[in-house]
Amino acid sequence: MAIRFRNITISKSVIKNSLLIASVMLILYIVSIIFSINILKYYLNENIDTRIRHEIEHIAASVKYENNSFSIIRANEFEETDLIEVTDDSFLLQIYSNEGTLFLQSKNVAVFGNIEKIFPYFSEVYYFEDNKSHDVNLRTGYEKLLDEHGEPAGYIQLTTFKTAFNELIENILFINLFTFPLVVLFILFISFLISGKTFAPINKIITLARNISTANLSARLSFAADPEDELGRLKNTLNDLFERLEIQVRQITEFSDNASHQLMTPLTAINTEIEYLLKGIHDTEEYRESLKVLKEQTERMIQIIRTMLLIAKNSELCTEQKTIFNFSKLAVQLIDNAYKNYKIELSIDEDLYLRGSAEYFLLVLQNLVDNALKYSGNDCVTITAHQTGNIVNISIEDFGVGIDDNEKEKIFERFYRSDKAEKLGITGYGLGLNLVKAVVTTMNGTIQVRNNSPKGTVFTLTFPGVTIS
Ligand code: ADP
């Protein structure tokens, strides 16, 4: 079941895709918030630590530890308000020995309340840590108290409040809590939009495929797409497929139209003849004549159907049977056996090999020689075959009625017969050259036709030569 929203169809795939995109975007959103809070925390701590370090430096310069006793050098340093009052910016100071004897405590510690003495191990000059006392978040810095020999005698511990810092983080979290559902909705909406747009061309393909039929093969996909990307390539491939199907369906329709038309002529003749025979009693000679007509027309139909079947079978057979055969021997045998009573001159190189089906190539030769004889009133026909480089050239020449220039392309179409042939009463079905061209094409060859001199026709075939080692 698919829901439609504007021109976007929200199908199961769209929902699945949207949820996937939304999840990825949400994860990225959450990771980016965690990351930015941590960065912020780092910079805020850095800021507090700089303040503590600066203050500790002053304090360290105002006290000394010599001869196992602690003394104050500058007393006014400890009279500053930030060591007396308890505000957000105040410092709580404690100086104590390694054993925990308290040497000095700022006045505000008594106001705030006791702070634990810590003895951290650190090798750097300063050490910082987050801690909590009386439910208040604090940040504390330590510096070692050194004696006259540079040996650690105790600790200077300086603590400040993280109030501003906490407020900021809390605010960020609070804002995020409220914006989060909105962000989720926004991300979902964007995901639906992206997925819907991504699947839109596929919906067009589905609609077109649903509507396509033999009566409507001219429809093509027309959405905008880069020809290099997947959708563009899919569109072009499908349009090419529709194009090929349209051509093939048109050819099949034309072929069946022509075939019906061609079979109609002998069938009508047979029907007329049978009606005539049924109309009364005829003498033996009349029956004989009628049977002759019936036989001729039946043979004509058999010939048409046989050639049509050959054309239909040719493409599959020829692609399967790509054997190598000796053209020179095949041609000589054919002429010697089937055309020994005709004037056919041969000028053929020995042992020319071709790749394809010998059986079908025999039909090519027969058709071309039959035509040459038929359209020249059985005049002289010349067959030449030579190899030049890697190309085998075969020509069949006659001195017959010739073919008009405007018909030289058309004669290869199924059922095409020239006006000249019809007018001269030369019988045929217009199928032979179509079969010839189909076979030659499957053998990777070409066929051309030109005028002979002083008259007649030359058919020239070219094929890639095959070398037998
Ligand atoms: P058909 O059975 O009519 O001969 P083809 O397919 O063999 O059918 O030939 C198609 C048409 O080409 C013929 O009707 C004829 O007009 C023309 N044609 C073919 N070969 C020759 C030729 N050697 N000389 C003149 N016309 C030819």
Side-chain angles (χ1 to χ4, degrees), residues 215-361:
N216 177 29
L217 270 175
S218 54
R220 296 287 180 273
L221 291 165
S222 62
F223 56 83
D226 182 344
E228 294 299 313
D229 73 16
E230 287 76 7
L231 273 176
R233 275 173 22 229
L234 178 67
K235 177 182 124 178
N236 290 344
T237 311
L238 285 175
N239 279 344
D240 284 351
L241 173 73
F242 295 148
E243 183 83 33
R244 286 200 304 275
L245 281 178
E246 192 185 1
I247 292 172
Q248 279 173 7
V249 168
R250 197 183 325 122
Q251 280 175 348
I252 291 168
T253 317
E254 275 173 20
F255 180 65
S256 51
D257 285 355
N258 286 333
S260 324
H261 179 74
Q262 293 296 317
L263 288 173
M264 212 48 165
T265 317
L267 277 172
T268 316
I270 289 171
N271 197 32
T272 318
E273 208 56 40
I274 293 172
E275 273 174 4
Y276 163 75
L277 285 177
L278 288 174
K279 257 189 192 153
I281 311 283
H282 305 278
D283 60 28
T284 322
E285 199 46 39
E286 281 171 333
Y287 278 121
R288 188 186 295 278
E289 278 304 311
S290 289
L291 283 174
K292 249 171 80 184
V293 172
L294 289 178
K295 186 171 184 306
E296 264 170 28
Q297 296 304 334
T298 313
E299 273 171 0
R300 189 174 174 184
M301 284 201 304
I302 291 172
Q303 186 63 32
I304 291 173
I305 291 170
R306 186 177 288 151
T307 320
M308 274 163 49
L309 288 176
L310 278 174
I311 291 170
K313 264 168 72 185
N314 163 60
S315 51
E316 38 178 300
L317 279 177
C318 276
T319 41
E320 277 166 23
Q321 298 179 2
K322 287 230 163 154
T323 49
I324 294 167
F325 63 91
N326 188 322
F327 158 78
S328 311
K329 281 190 181 148
L330 187 90
V332 172
Q333 268 171 17
L334 174 76
I335 304 305
D336 281 355
N337 294 336
Y339 298 95
K340 53 176 179 270
N341 298 326
Y342 296 92
K343 282 185 276 173
I344 297 181
E345 281 178 19
L346 291 183
S347 167
I348 295 177
D349 286 356
E350 261 182 37
D351 293 333
L352 293 174
Y353 288 92
L354 297 180
R355 194 182 295 275
S357 155
E359 190 192 336
Y360 272 82
F361 194 74

Side-chain angles (χ1 to χ4, degrees), residues 371 374-375 398 402-403 411 416-418 428-433 457:
N371 278 351
K374 186 164 73 171
Y375 294 102
D398 67 59
I403 300 169
I411 53 169
Y416 185 83
R417 303 214 66 229
S418 72
Y429 313 110
L431 284 171
L433 285 184
T457 312

Side-chain angles (χ1 to χ4, degrees), residues 88-102:
D88 286 352
D89 298 328
S90 297
F91 292 105
L92 307 164
L93 171 70
Q94 294 194 117
I95 302 176
Y96 43 87
S97 73
N98 287 337
E99 293 74 35
T101 316
L102 192 62

Side-chain angles (χ1 to χ4, degrees), residues 324-325 350-355 387-392 463-469:
I324 294 167
F325 63 91
E350 261 182 37
D351 293 333
L352 293 174
Y353 288 92
L354 297 180
R355 194 182 295 275
Q387 177 148 4
T388 320
N390 197 28
I391 302 288
V392 174
F463 295 100
V466 181
T467 332
I468 304 281
S469 48

Side-chain angles (χ1 to χ4, degrees), residues 338-465:
Y339 298 95
K340 53 176 179 270
N341 298 326
Y342 296 92
K343 282 185 276 173
I344 297 181
E345 281 178 19
L346 291 183
S347 167
I348 295 177
D349 286 356
E350 261 182 37
D351 293 333
L352 293 174
Y353 288 92
L354 297 180
R355 194 182 295 275
S357 155
E359 190 192 336
Y360 272 82
F361 194 74
L362 209 56
L363 292 173
V364 169
L365 273 183
Q366 273 172 343
N367 269 289
L368 292 173
V369 175
D370 283 347
N371 278 351
L373 291 168
K374 186 164 73 171
Y375 294 102
S376 67
N378 293 336
D379 199 357
C380 177
V381 172
T382 310
I383 303 176
T384 51
H386 304 291
Q387 177 148 4
T388 320
N390 197 28
I391 302 288
V392 174
N393 285 291
I394 302 167
S395 301
I396 292 100
E397 295 177 35
D398 67 59
F399 297 98
V401 295
I403 300 169
D404 291 344
D405 284 346
N406 61 339
E407 291 189 311
K408 285 195 170 83
E409 288 285 313
K410 294 184 190 157
I411 53 169
F412 295 102
E413 290 171 14
R414 275 172 205 173
F415 296 113
Y416 185 83
R417 303 214 66 229
S418 72
D419 287 347
K420 212 187 275 177
E422 295 284 328
K423 273 184 199 146
L424 290 170
I426 306 171
T427 53
Y429 313 110
L431 284 171
L433 285 184
N434 187 262
L435 176 67
V436 166
K437 179 138 192 191
V439 176
V440 169
T441 309
T442 51
M443 288 172 68
N444 295 329
T446 62
I447 179 160
Q448 271 158 358
V449 58
R450 62 182 162 83
N451 296 335
N452 203 2
S453 172
K455 61 176 188 138
T457 312
V458 181
F459 280 91
T460 308
L461 314 179
T462 58
F463 295 100

